[in-house]
Amino acid sequence: MKISLLNKNDKEKAKSLWGYAFETDEPFYSWYFDNVYDENNCVGIYDDELVSYLQLNPYNLKLNNNIFPCSYVVGVISAPEYRNKGAMKKLLPKALEEMNNKGHAISILMPFDTKFYSTYGWELSYSQLKYHVPIDVIKGLKNKSGDFKKVKIGSSTDSLNEIYESYLCKYNGYVKRDNIEWEYIMREIDSYGGYMYLLTIDNKPCGYIFYYIENKTLNIREMAYTNLEGMGALFNFIYSHTSQVKYVDWPAPIGDNLYLFIKDTIKPEFTNDIRVHPFMCTRVINVKNAIENCIFENDAEFIFTVDDTYAPWNNHTYKVIVNDTKAKVIMIDPIHSQFSCNINTFSQLFFGSIDIYEAIFLNKVNVTDESGIHEFNKVFYKKNNFINEYF
């Protein structure tokens, strides 16, 4: 068996493996492989023919105050006769090498099981609030401002992006979307029979909503707004579907607090179902490059050691000097290390899903000099992450 990037002749086999493992829903299935799939971003295992592969879809994340090129690992697939035979132990390390060669210092991955990929360094760093409420519950949030216009594929992307950026500006780790990413989302919605609307108030874009209607539920794929008036207009639009649906579902960042302002009951049972759902795992691919690409708000200096089984280029002790927003990273003798952790923990610390004190409490960090912990926390602290990309 050999491992390498895919070539043009592998497309139909790659498509067939995807269809067997995931879905063949048309028109999305064919559209995806004609427009998103790129053999140059795929790593596969061959036994005469392609038997296992994954895709490394490129994105840019707004993370730690800067833009990071990133590989989104999707479509991790093995033919049924090659499953449970160690294919991932060969495929994922090769993918790590490929991402490092591309200069992608970080990676994201949507897991089917949040612990399956832990062995290889990916750990959960993003979750979402998932609202499932009776439609009558949102009545108190609505107002009648604004005008709604149906969005056509490829149109209104500047307005949509302006709203998206305004909505997420206080969050960390979201995707910086360009026209191609917006078209991907629109094609996905359209392929599954969904609807897309743009809200304007006084001719100014201030909200959007992408959704499906199924099983008496208005299922929102994504909505965003720039202000309170826009939020109320969107909920008024949703409430206008009372004759069609009984429930409304939508995702929101963990920092969202709308649940504090909508009607609920406690007895005889809860009216609303609002849960935290795990969403995305992350991994730092290159520790030095990742730290040096951040823009920091405080100066700091610390020394730490990383252990990384599957990306050995990360196995170093690092002296980090942060001055005037940027970091200088130097590899030094481990004897000077102030604390150490594995790549899993460092990835969560880097993305801000936990802070160093939580990691210490969970026995994920070995501390030899507490002064380094305080310095580290000045630049890597807990943040509110959000992402809503599915492929």
Side-chain angles (χ1 to χ4, degrees):
M1 291 197 294
K2 71 169 186 175
I3 306 177
S4 69
L5 290 174
L6 272 57
N7 58 62
K8 290 183 178 179
N9 296 329
D10 294 317
K11 180 179 177 180
E12 289 306 314
K13 181 62 178 178
K15 184 177 179 181
S16 175
L17 286 172
W18 176 292
Y20 183 88
F22 302 123
E23 62 183 358
T24 57
D25 295 346
E26 294 289 7
F28 180 81
Y29 180 49
S30 293
W31 171 81
Y32 181 89
F33 277 89
D34 287 340
N35 294 275
V36 181
Y37 167 86
D38 182 349
E39 65 274 2
N40 296 308
N41 295 324
C42 297
V43 180
I45 298 177
Y46 296 82
D47 190 1
D48 293 331
E49 66 175 1
L50 183 67
V51 298
S52 182
Y53 81 107
L54 55 77
Q55 300 179 45
L56 304 173
N57 290 346
Y59 282 92
N60 289 307
L61 297 191
K62 180 65 183 297
L63 178 70
N64 294 339
N65 300 315
N66 207 0
I67 309 301
F68 280 77
C70 170
S71 290
Y72 186 173
V73 181
V74 300
V76 182
I77 308 165
S78 291
E81 66 271 27
Y82 286 86
R83 294 175 184 176
N84 301 315
K85 292 185 177 181
M88 291 304 110
K89 290 182 180 179
K90 300 175 183 177
L91 190 60
L92 287 168
K94 182 66 174 178
L96 291 171
E97 290 180 15
E98 184 61 30
M99 287 184 270
N100 195 42
N101 291 338
K102 287 176 178 287
H104 289 188
I106 58 171
S107 170
I108 57 176
L109 180 154
M110 185 185 293
F112 71 92
D113 179 324
T114 58
K115 288 303 177 184
F116 180 83
Y117 292 97
S118 290
T119 300
Y120 306 99
W122 279 270
E123 289 290 349
L124 184 67
S125 292
Y126 294 85
S127 296
Q128 292 184 346
L129 283 186
K130 294 287 189 179
Y131 284 79
H132 175 75
V133 304
I135 193 167
D136 286 344
V137 162
I138 68 169
K139 187 175 182 179
L141 298 174
K142 68 187 186 74
N143 68 48
K144 296 183 179 181
S145 300
D147 299 297
F148 285 86
K149 180 182 73 172
K150 185 175 285 190
V151 176
K152 296 179 181 178
I153 293 173
S155 70
S156 304
T157 53
D158 288 345
S159 295
L160 293 169
N161 201 61
E162 179 184 339
I163 297 162
Y164 171 82
E165 289 281 343
S166 174
Y167 182 71
L168 290 180
C169 65
K170 62 182 179 180
Y171 295 101
N172 183 58
Y174 64 88
V175 169
K176 294 288 288 186
R177 293 176 181 169
D178 59 19
N179 289 344
I180 293 174
E181 268 102 40
W182 279 108
E183 182 170 346
Y184 285 174
I185 293 169
M186 292 179 189
R187 292 285 180 187
E188 175 198 350
I189 302 295
D190 185 67
S191 292
Y192 290 102
Y195 306 89
M196 301 172 284
Y197 283 90
L198 174 68
L199 164 69
T200 59
I201 298 177
D202 296 328
N203 295 315
K204 180 176 176 59
C206 60
Y208 66 81
I209 181 169
F210 297 169
Y211 64 97
Y212 309 94
I213 297 177
E214 51 192 359
N215 300 322
K216 291 292 183 180
T217 300
L218 195 148
N219 194 327
I220 299 170
R221 166 65 167 79
E222 183 170 294
M223 70 173 169
Y225 40 86
T226 61
N227 52 39
L228 182 63
E229 190 176 17
M231 183 196 78
L234 284 170
F235 279 106
N236 185 64
F237 178 84
I238 295 165
Y239 191 73
S240 73
H241 292 77
T242 49
S243 64
Q244 294 171 260
V245 303
K246 293 182 178 180
Y247 297 97
V248 184
D249 290 7
W250 73 90
I254 292 296
D256 179 86
N257 63 1
L258 274 182
Y259 61 86
L260 296 173
F261 303 98
I262 57 178
K263 178 186 175 183
D264 206 337
T265 59
I266 296 175
K267 294 181 178 181
E269 61 184 6
F270 295 104
T271 300
N272 304 323
D273 185 1
I274 304 165
R275 304 185 184 189
V276 174
H277 283 204
F279 195 75
M280 196 77 74
C281 290
T282 66
R283 193 196 202 283
V284 172
I285 304 300
N286 189 299
V287 172
K288 182 178 186 295
N289 290 352
I291 295 173
E292 290 184 336
N293 199 45
C294 297
I295 295 176
F296 298 103
E297 297 172 354
N298 302 305
D299 293 347
E301 185 173 325
F302 52 90
I303 303 169
F304 74 108
T305 302
V306 172
D307 175 48
D308 191 339
T309 302
Y310 288 94
W313 54 85
N314 286 327
N315 287 322
H316 292 287
T317 295
Y318 302 90
K319 182 175 183 179
V320 180
I321 303 169
V322 181
N323 183 46
D324 194 22
T325 76
K326 298 297 290 182
K328 181 178 180 181
V329 181
I330 309 164
M331 282 76 153
I332 66 170
D333 193 307
I335 195 172
H336 301 296
S337 183
Q338 296 170 317
F339 63 93
S340 62
C341 62
N342 64 17
I343 193 65
N344 304 58
T345 299
F346 178 71
S347 296
Q348 290 181 310
L349 292 167
F350 183 83
F351 273 79
S353 55
I354 60 173
D355 66 34
I356 189 81
Y357 298 107
E358 290 172 315
I360 292 169
F361 176 79
L362 293 169
N363 201 29
K364 299 292 186 181
V365 175
N366 182 33
V367 181
T368 54
D369 182 348
E370 291 189 1
S371 64
I373 299 302
H374 174 72
E375 289 291 296
F376 183 89
N377 193 61
K378 287 164 63 176
V379 290
F380 289 113
Y381 44 85
K382 197 167 185 177
K383 300 180 180 70
N384 201 338
N385 296 339
F386 186 71
I387 196 167
N388 201 37
E389 260 63 23
Y390 285 78
F391 59 84

